[in-house]
Each structure stands twice: as C-alpha cells, then as structure tokens.
Amino acid sequence: MPEIYLAGGCFWGTEKYLSSIRGVLSTQVGYANGKTENPTYEEVCCQNTGHAEAVRVVYDPGVTSLEFLLELYYEVIDPVSVNRQGGDHGTQYRTGIYYVDDKDLKVIQRSIAQLQKRYDKPIAIEVEPLGNFSPAEEYHQKYLDKHPDGYCHISKAKFEKASTSIVNPAAYRVPDADTLHRTLTAAQYEVTQKCATEPPFQNEFWNTFQPGIYVDITTGEPLFTSSEKFESGCGWPSFSKPIDPDVIHEKQDTSHGMHRTEVRSRTGNAHLGHVFNDGPKKTGGLRYCINSASLRFIPKDEMVQEGYGYLLDLIK
C-alpha cells in the first residue's frame, strides 16, 4: 500500500486526525528529514537536529486518493505559517509533505498550486522526498487514544469532519452554461438551475430502491446512497442523510410564503430539494426530499466502471 509522510505541527493531534480518515490503514508518529539518526524527542526539541514532527500514513488508494488526503491535511494546518502551528513554534513544527514514490510529486505539486490560489501569502509547506524517518518513542504513539484529554491543537469538530469526509470535491467539475443547456433535459435544467419542483409520484426515482448511488446530474458528485433511501409517501425520493455531510449545502428558502431549508449540491450548486424534520427517528429524524431530475442513479454493479468503486462498501 502507498504511504506519505505529513508534518503539521504537534504530531499527537495530526496523527489522531489523519487516522480518522476513511481509507487510512495505519499511522505512526516520528521525526523526518533531520540531520541525525534515531533522535530522541528532547534532541529534536532542543538540539537543532533539523527534524520535523511527522506522521507516516499508509492508505488504501482504492478507498481514498493522495489528492484527497492532502485536501484534508490542509484543513488542520495554517499553510502560510513558517515554523509555527497552533501554540507550538520551532522548526520541528514546520509543515511538510515528504514522499517516497517519485510519481507522487506531480500530484503534490498540482495540489499545492491549487492551494496557493486560496491565499495571498506564499504557501510555506515543505515538499521534499523523504530523506529519513525515525519512529518516535512509544509513549508518543497513539498519544490521544491513550490520553483523550491530552494537549491537541486540532478541534474536535475537525476530527469529526475527517471521519465523515468521503467525497473529494476536487474530483468533480461544474460544466459551463452552454454545456448544461445542451446536456440536461428541460426538466433537469429547470429543477437544478431555476429551483423548479417536479410533480410528486411522476418522477424517475420516487419508488426506486435498487442498490447503488445517486449523483449530482450536473457534476457527477456522489450525493446519496440507496442504503439511506426510504419510502416516505411524499412522492419524491427521500433519504435519511447524504453520503457525506459536506456534499450538501443548506440555504433558507422563504419562497411561496413558506419557511423551508433548501438543499443544494456542493460542487455544482444545483438545486436538489429540501430537508425536513419528519424523517424516521431511528435514522436521525431527517427527510431529504429530492427531485429526481437533479439526480443520476448509478447501479451497484456499474459503480466500478463509472469510477465510484471506492464507495461500494457503503451499499448495504
């Protein structure tokens, strides 16, 4: 399995965060790209050894990609800060991406270039081949599992997001307006681009329960699974939750004299439908009421060839 080494401040929190990501098989904290062999923690902190506190990450590329791992890594670092993350400062707390496979370099460079577009200051993440890595002392390994109340510069909300993040938004692109006009049907265009609502009980997926996933008709970004679909009696496809909480954006809707919560797709910003609080209590109480015209269904036996094989384990 491939591996990557990531430095992002104190390795206690960085390790816990990275280990929470779906597809990460193992993590190990240690000292990377320094001037000495097998340093101790005290030497790294006090003797200018040049090491960075880093995390060795082994991952399953069939479940998560290096590109997505890097996007999630950026969520818990300040990428323009030099030798400082959170309340920690010193060269050992610098940010860095250290690779062992030369083929990864282009992926990393492309990812850094995209990240730079979000900042005015230069990205300060060190990108180098892995020169050396020494595992840290045993008491540092899985530190926050052993000490749940121990020091951590990463918020609990970030840990929760890492554990539920499944879909990489960078893998999907929004077609231009002309393409949307050309490729969408009249109903699909009216629903996704003009917030129309299709008739109940007269749409493609309201009573479909075949195993598979439902993706945004405009971008292909996965939105819902058949495992979360249920019969609500409303006449539209109903789901208890999205495939990944981040693929859905909510917006207050006061149209037609009502107060509702509209749901839109993340990458495509397509109108999907609304979410209500009258769903089954055993699944969280939510009902995502979605227009069939905003969705494309991918049957389970076609998911691999369509590029969605990494989601197969979500289909019950």
Side-chain angles (χ1 to χ4, degrees), residues 282-296:
K282 65 179 181 180
T283 57
L286 295 180
R287 173 172 63 93
Y288 287 85
C289 184
I290 307 299
N291 289 281
S292 290
S294 67
L295 303 173
R296 182 166 76 96

Side-chain angles (χ1 to χ4, degrees), residues 205-212 214 226 229-232 237-238 297:
F205 304 125
W206 76 272
N207 62 349
T208 298
F209 294 93
Q210 182 182 354
Y214 296 82
S226 58
K229 194 170 188 288
F230 65 94
E231 174 55 66
S232 66
S238 297
F297 178 66

Side-chain angles (χ1 to χ4, degrees), residues 28-246:
Q28 182 184 42
V29 298
Y31 314 113
N33 280 25
K35 298 177 289 187
T36 63
E37 294 184 6
N38 301 314
T40 65
Y41 181 68
E42 289 73 18
E43 289 170 347
V44 170
C45 290
C46 305
Q47 296 187 20
N48 192 31
T49 63
H51 289 89
E53 290 194 13
V55 182
R56 176 179 183 256
V57 181
V58 179
Y59 62 96
D60 182 349
V63 177
T64 193
S65 65
L66 175 57
E67 182 182 41
F68 193 29
L69 278 177
L70 294 178
E71 282 295 318
L72 293 174
Y73 160 70
Y74 301 149
E75 291 277 334
V76 291
I77 63 170
D78 178 350
V80 298
S81 179
V82 178
N83 298 335
R84 179 186 292 272
Q85 292 295 312
D88 303 305
H89 59 90
T91 56
Q92 72 269 32
Y93 298 115
R94 66 187 183 272
T95 53
I97 302 171
Y98 309 118
Y99 58 93
V100 295
D101 188 335
D102 289 340
K103 291 182 295 185
D104 287 343
L105 179 57
K106 287 186 177 180
V107 176
I108 297 167
Q109 290 174 330
R110 183 168 62 246
S111 178
I112 292 288
Q114 289 298 315
L115 180 65
Q116 182 63 75
K117 294 178 181 179
R118 307 173 207 168
Y119 292 87
D120 295 328
K121 295 181 179 179
I123 297 300
I125 301 172
E126 186 174 71
V127 176
E128 295 181 352
L130 183 73
N132 53 66
F133 179 80
S134 300
E137 296 85 342
E138 181 56 33
Y139 74 89
H140 288 299
Q141 305 298 335
K142 303 293 181 183
Y143 184 87
L144 290 179
D145 288 342
K146 302 171 186 174
H147 307 280
D149 296 325
Y151 166 76
C152 182
H153 66 292
I154 300 173
S155 69
K156 291 183 179 179
K158 294 289 188 181
F159 290 129
E160 176 64 23
K161 182 174 181 180
S163 66
T164 57
S165 292
I166 295 174
V167 179
N168 179 13
Y172 305 94
R173 296 288 184 268
V174 185
D176 58 41
D178 288 342
T179 301
L180 289 174
H181 268 291
R182 187 176 66 255
T183 58
L184 298 181
T185 66
Q188 291 167 344
Y189 190 86
E190 288 295 313
V191 166
T192 60
Q193 307 303 303
K194 297 188 176 182
C195 300
T197 300
E198 63 195 3
F201 305 104
Q202 299 177 44
N203 54 82
E204 188 174 5
F205 304 125
W206 76 272
N207 62 349
T208 298
F209 294 93
Q210 182 182 354
I213 61 171
Y214 296 82
V215 306
D216 181 351
I217 192 68
T218 67
T219 65
E221 184 172 27
L223 301 175
F224 301 97
T225 73
S226 58
S227 303
E228 308 301 337
K229 194 170 188 288
F230 65 94
E231 174 55 66
S232 66
C234 70
W236 290 281
S238 297
F239 304 88
S240 58
K241 65 179 181 179
I243 199 167
D244 173 333
D246 293 325

